[in-house]
C-alpha cells in the first residue's frame, strides 16, 4: 500500500486567499525508515526526520500516544504495542490522481469493547475524581474492534475519505500494520518559526433539516458545557506553547469556531505563537505532546486516570501523525494531525478508537450518544451502499419525478457520490419500455456515479392496511443518523423491524425518547384531536416524497406523536410516493 497524505493547509500556511489549499501527495518506495522502540530513542528519530526534511527529503510518519514518557516521565501510559515513533523518508512526493480506483469495496463488521454498564461506571469514577479536585477534564476513550471481511486497506481508506472528507487524512503502511487516518483535527502546523495549534473540543449531531442543523450549530457554539471544554483545552495549549514561544507571542486569534462534518458539528479554536530561535521538532513535541484535546487537564493527572480506565494502549490513535516537507534553503515545514477518526489494521483485524472529553457537566447518556455520532464515519465506510429512490411509473409517466431527483441529488451531495450524466436517459429508456400499467421502479446510484434502474410490476394495495407497533425503539445512533435521513440500500436497521406476519403491511417505529417516527417502508400520519399529523424530521425519519406532498397539499401538518398519545389516535394512514395515502389500522400491544 502506498503512503498517501491529503492535508488541508491552514490559512496561515497556505497564504492569503488560499484557506482551503491542500497538500495531496503519494509516495513510492522509502529511502529509509526511522523507528524508535524505546522512549530514549524518540527524540533521535524526530531529530533525524527533521534533518532529512531540511536536506530536501519528505518524511511521513507518526508518534504513538505511548511515546509521552519520552518527553516527560510523569506522563504515564500503558506499554506500547508497536514502535513509539516511525517515519518513512522519501526522495520525492508524487502526484495523487483523482481517478485512481482501489478495487473491490471494503466490508467490515464492528463490535464495541465497552458495555453501557462499564461506560456508566467509568463516568461515575471520573465525576468522583473531578469532585475531589484531581483534574477538571479527562478524555475517555474505548476501541471499536472489527474484521476486514472483503477488500483491501486501500479500498477501506477510499471509503473513509468519502465518509470523512477534508481535514488531515493519511494512510501509512509500516509492514506490521496499516494506519488509516481521516482526522479533522490539526495538532500543529510549524514552519520553523510560526506555529499554529487548532484543538477540537465540543460536539453536536447534525440536524435533519437546514433550520435544525443551524440551530444545533448555534446551540453548540453557545452551550456552557461545550465552551467550558473548549476553553480548558485552549488554556492548556496556551500554557504548552509558552514553553517554546518567544515572550508575549502566544495568541488566541479565534475561539469557538464551528466546523461541519458529515455526522457532527465540531468546535475548534486557534492558538498560535512564534517559536524561539533554535527550537527543534523534538522541542515542539516535548512542549505539546500528547495534545491536550485527547488527554484532559491537568495533563499529568488526566493521563493517570486514562491509564486506570482504559485497559489497552491507544497506539497511533490520540498520538500524532504528519508530514515534514522541505521548504528550501535548509528549512522545513511540519504539519501533524491529532489522529482521531483513525483506524489501525493488522492483517484483517481493525481497531478504531472513539472518545470524548468529560467534565463535571457531562452526563452519561449524552456522552454515550456523542460516541455513537462520532462513530458514524466508520459505519458509513464499512459497507458499500447505493443511494436509493423508489418511484411509481404509471402508464409511461413518472409520479413526482422532480421531487425524487432532488432528494437523490441531496443525498449524492451529502455522501459525495458523483452525479451521473446518463441518469435522465436511463429513466427515459425505462419509461419507453413500460408504456402501460403501474410499475415500481428501483433507482440506485453507487459510489462511482453509476445509475441503475429496474422496474417491477406493482399490484394495487387494498386498504385499510394493517400496521404493528415496534417491540423496541430504534436506537438513536440510527434514528438520528444519516442512514435514516437519506434513503440508501443500507437498511438493516429497518429490516430488523420488518413484519414477519404476511397480514401486517408495515411496522410503526419509535425512537428512544418515545416519539413515533415512521414505518420501515414509508411515513405515517395519525388523526389526533381532529387533525392529521405526521412526525417532524427532528424525531428521526426519512423525508418521504409522499409525506412532502401531503404536507404541501395541506392534508397533514407536522406534530410530535408520543407513545402515550396512541390510545387517543382516531385514525391512521401510511404514506409513500409509490402507494400514495393509504388508510391504515394500528394494532396496539395488549
Amino acid at each position: 500500500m502506498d503512503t498517501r497524505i491529503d492535508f488541508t493547509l491552514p490559512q496561515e500556511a497556505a497564504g492569503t486567499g488560499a484557506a482551503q489549499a491542500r497538500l495531496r501527495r503519494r509516495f513510492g518506495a522509502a529511502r529509509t525508515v526511522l523507528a524508535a522502540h524505546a522512549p530514549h530513542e524518540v527524540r533521535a528519530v524526530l531529530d533525524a526526520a527533521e534533518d532529512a526534511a531540511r536536506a530536501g527529503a519528505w518524511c511521513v510518519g507518526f508518534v504513538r500516544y505511548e511515546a509521552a514518557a519520552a518527553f516527560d516521565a510523569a506522563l504515564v501510559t500503558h506499554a506500547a504495542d508497536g514502535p513509539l515513533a516511525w517515519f518513512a523518508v522519501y526522495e520525492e512526493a508524487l502526484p495523487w490522481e483523482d481517478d485512481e480506483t482501489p478495487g473491490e469495496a471494503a466490508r467490515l463488521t464492528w463490535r464495541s469493547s465497552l458495555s453501557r454498564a462499564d461506560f456508566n461506571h467509568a463516568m461515575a469514577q471520573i465525576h468522583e475524581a473531578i469532585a475531589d479536585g484531581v483534574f477538571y477534564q479527562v478524555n475517555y476513550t474505548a476501541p471499536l474492534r472489527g474484521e476486514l471481511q472483503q477488500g483491501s486497506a486501500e479500498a477501506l481508506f477510499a471509503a473513509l475519505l468519502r465518509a470523512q472528507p477534508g481535514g488531515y487524512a493519511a494512510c501509512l503502511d509500516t509492514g506490521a500494520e496499516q494506519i488509516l487516518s481521516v482526522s479533522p483535527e490539526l495538532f500543529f502546523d510549524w514552519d520553523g518559526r510560526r506555529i499554529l495549534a487548532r484543538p477540537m473540543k465540543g460536539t453536536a449531531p447534525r440536524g435533519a433539516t437546514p433550520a435544525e442543523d443551524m440551530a444545533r450549530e448555534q446551540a453548540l457554539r453557545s452551550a456552557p458545557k461545550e465552551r467550558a471544554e473548549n476553553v480548558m483545552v485552549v488554556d492548556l495549549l496556551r500554557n504548552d506553547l509558552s514553553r517554546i514561544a518567544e515572550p508575549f507571542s502566544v495568541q488566541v486569534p479565534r475561539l469557538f469556531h464551528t466546523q461541519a462534518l458529515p455526522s457532527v458539528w465540531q468546535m475548534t479554536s486557534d492558538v498560535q505563537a512564534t517559536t524561539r530561535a533554535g527550537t527543534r521538532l523534538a522541542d515542539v513535541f516535548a512542549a505539546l505532546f500528547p495534545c491536550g484535546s485527547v488527554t484532559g487537564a491537568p495533563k499529568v493527572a488526566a493521563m493517570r486516570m486514562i491509564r486506570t480506565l482504559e485497559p489497552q494502549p491507544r497506539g497511533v490513535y490520540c498520538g500524532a501523525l504528519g508530514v515534514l516537507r522541505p521548504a528550501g534553503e535548509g528549512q522545513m515545514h511540519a504539519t501533524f494531525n491529532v489522529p482521531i477518526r483513525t483506524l489501525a489494521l493488522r492483517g484483517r483485524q481493525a481497531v478504531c478508537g472513539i472518545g470524548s472529553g468529560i467534565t463535571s457537566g457531562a452526563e452519561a447518556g449524552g456522552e454515550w450518544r456523542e460516541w455513537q455520532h462520532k462513530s458514524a464515519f466508520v459505519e458509513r465506510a464499512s459497507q458499500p451502499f447505493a443511494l436509493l429512490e423508489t418511484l411509481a411509473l404509471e402508464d409511461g409517466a413518472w409520479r413526482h419525478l422532480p421531487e425524487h431527483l432532488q432528494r437523490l441529488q441531496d443525498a449524492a451531495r451529502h455522501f459525495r457520490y458523483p452525479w451521473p450524466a446518463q441518469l435522465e436517459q436511463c429513466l427515459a429508456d425505462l419509461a419507453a419500455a413500460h408504456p402501460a400499467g403501474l410499475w415500481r421502479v428501483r433507482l440506485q446510484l453507487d459510489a462511482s456515479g453509476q445509475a441503475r434502474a429496474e422496474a417491477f410490476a406493482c399490484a394495487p394495495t387494498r386498504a385499510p392496511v394493517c400496521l404493528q407497533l415496534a417491540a423496541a425503539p430504534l436506537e438513536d445512533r440510527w434514528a438520528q443518523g444519516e442512514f435514516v435521513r437519506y434513503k440508501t440500500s443500507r437498511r438493516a436497521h429497518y429490516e430488523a423491524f420488518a413484519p414477519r406476519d404476511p397480514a401486517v403491511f408495515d411496522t410503526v417505529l419509535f425512537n428512544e425518547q418515545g416519539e413515533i417516527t415512521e414505518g420501515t417502508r414509508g411515513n405515517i400520519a395519525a388523526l389526533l384531536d381532529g387533525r392529521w399529523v405526521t412526525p417532524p424530521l427532528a424525531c428521526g425519519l426519512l423525508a418521504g416524497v409522499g409525506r412532502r406532498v401531503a404536507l404541501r397539499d395541506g392534508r397533514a401538518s407536522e406534530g410530535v406523536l408520543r407513545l402515550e398519545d396512541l390510545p387517543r389516535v382516531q385514525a391512521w394512514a401510511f404514506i409513500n410516493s409509490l402507494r400514495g395515502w393509504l388508510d391504515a389500522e394500528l394494532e396496539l400491544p395488549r
Side-chain angles (χ1 to χ4, degrees), residues 420-484:
Q422 84 283 12
L423 180 58
E424 290 187 10
Q425 188 60 50
C426 171
L427 294 176
D429 292 343
L430 192 71
H434 299 82
L438 177 62
W439 300 86
R440 175 175 62 88
V441 175
R442 183 179 174 88
L443 173 62
Q444 297 187 76
L445 176 63
D446 68 21
S448 66
Q450 295 297 311
R452 180 165 58 95
E454 299 175 278
F456 305 89
C458 185
T461 305
R462 296 180 61 182
V465 295
C466 179
L467 305 176
Q468 67 180 13
L469 185 66
L474 183 66
E475 295 178 32
D476 276 349
R477 69 189 185 101
W478 293 115
Q480 298 299 328
E482 58 191 355
F483 290 105
V484 163

Side-chain angles (χ1 to χ4, degrees), residues 537-554:
L537 300 182
C539 293
L541 54 125
L542 179 70
V545 170
R547 172 186 180 278
R548 177 179 175 180
V549 171
L551 290 171
R552 183 193 65 197
D553 294 347

Side-chain angles (χ1 to χ4, degrees), residues 59-384:
C59 302
V60 184
F62 58 78
V63 180
R64 285 183 199 274
Y65 175 83
E66 289 73 34
F71 309 109
D72 184 346
L75 301 176
V76 297
T77 68
H78 292 290
D81 58 357
L84 293 172
W86 185 96
F87 286 85
V89 182
Y90 302 95
E91 294 290 350
E92 61 178 347
L94 305 172
W96 175 356
E97 302 298 336
D98 286 331
D99 59 356
E100 294 177 4
T101 56
E104 187 178 35
R107 291 182 181 272
L108 293 88
T109 55
W110 294 93
R111 67 185 186 280
S112 175
S113 63
L114 186 69
S115 71
R116 178 62 191 274
D118 288 342
F119 178 85
N120 289 351
H121 180 65
M123 287 286 293
Q125 289 181 269
I126 293 171
H127 280 305
E128 182 178 351
I130 292 174
D132 289 342
V134 177
F135 48 76
Y136 44 88
Q137 183 188 61
V138 70
N139 196 75
Y140 176 44
T141 78
L144 300 173
R145 301 191 183 276
E147 181 179 0
L148 184 60
Q149 299 167 323
Q150 173 186 299
S152 63
E154 292 93 334
L156 178 56
F157 184 59
L160 289 167
L161 284 173
R162 289 193 299 270
Q164 185 78 65
Y168 306 90
C171 66
L172 295 81
D173 190 348
T174 70
E177 66 181 336
Q178 294 80 46
I179 305 299
L180 313 178
S181 179
V182 288
S183 174
E185 182 172 4
L186 175 68
F187 183 16
F188 66 83
D189 182 88
W190 181 54
D191 65 5
R193 286 288 284 166
R194 181 210 54 81
I195 189 166
L196 168 69
R198 186 168 286 161
M200 178 175 287
K201 191 60 65 177
T203 306
R206 298 296 302 272
T209 66
E212 184 190 8
D213 201 38
M214 184 176 297
R216 289 188 175 183
E217 178 198 9
Q218 293 301 319
L220 170 64
R221 195 192 300 268
S222 59
K225 171 188 173 294
E226 307 294 348
R227 290 170 72 94
E229 282 191 38
N230 197 281
V231 167
M232 288 178 191
V233 174
V234 167
D235 285 346
L236 178 58
L237 265 292
R238 290 174 62 220
N239 183 66
D240 286 350
L241 276 175
S242 69
R243 299 164 64 185
I244 53 172
E246 289 187 346
F248 312 111
S249 70
V250 178
Q251 299 177 336
V252 182
R254 185 172 69 167
L255 268 174
F256 310 137
H257 174 72
T258 48
Q259 176 182 352
L261 301 178
S263 60
V264 294
W265 284 100
Q266 298 272 196
M267 189 156 62
T268 65
S269 294
D270 286 4
V271 188
Q272 64 185 32
T274 302
T275 56
R276 292 192 292 268
T279 300
R280 299 276 292 175
L281 180 65
D283 299 323
V284 175
F285 269 85
L288 302 181
F289 189 84
C291 182
S293 64
V294 293
T295 62
K299 189 179 289 187
V300 171
M303 289 183 66
R304 287 199 189 105
M305 190 64 168
I306 288 169
R307 190 178 67 170
T308 298
L309 294 176
E310 300 179 18
Q312 64 285 310
R314 289 181 171 184
V316 177
Y317 172 64
C318 292
L321 187 158
V323 57
L324 310 178
R325 60 193 189 276
E329 300 181 353
Q331 303 300 308
M332 69 94 204
H333 200 127
T335 308
F336 281 80
N337 75 14
V338 179
I340 58 175
R341 317 294 196 273
T342 297
L343 280 67
L345 272 175
R346 293 186 177 182
R348 311 299 286 180
Q349 302 305 307
V351 177
C352 175
I354 301 293
S356 62
I358 311 300
T359 62
S360 61
E363 179 267 326
E367 295 299 323
W368 184 259
R369 286 191 293 273
E370 181 176 318
W371 285 29
Q372 307 306 315
H373 294 310
K374 286 180 175 178
S375 66
F377 86 101
V378 76
E379 291 279 1
R380 187 202 287 191
S382 296
Q383 301 285 339

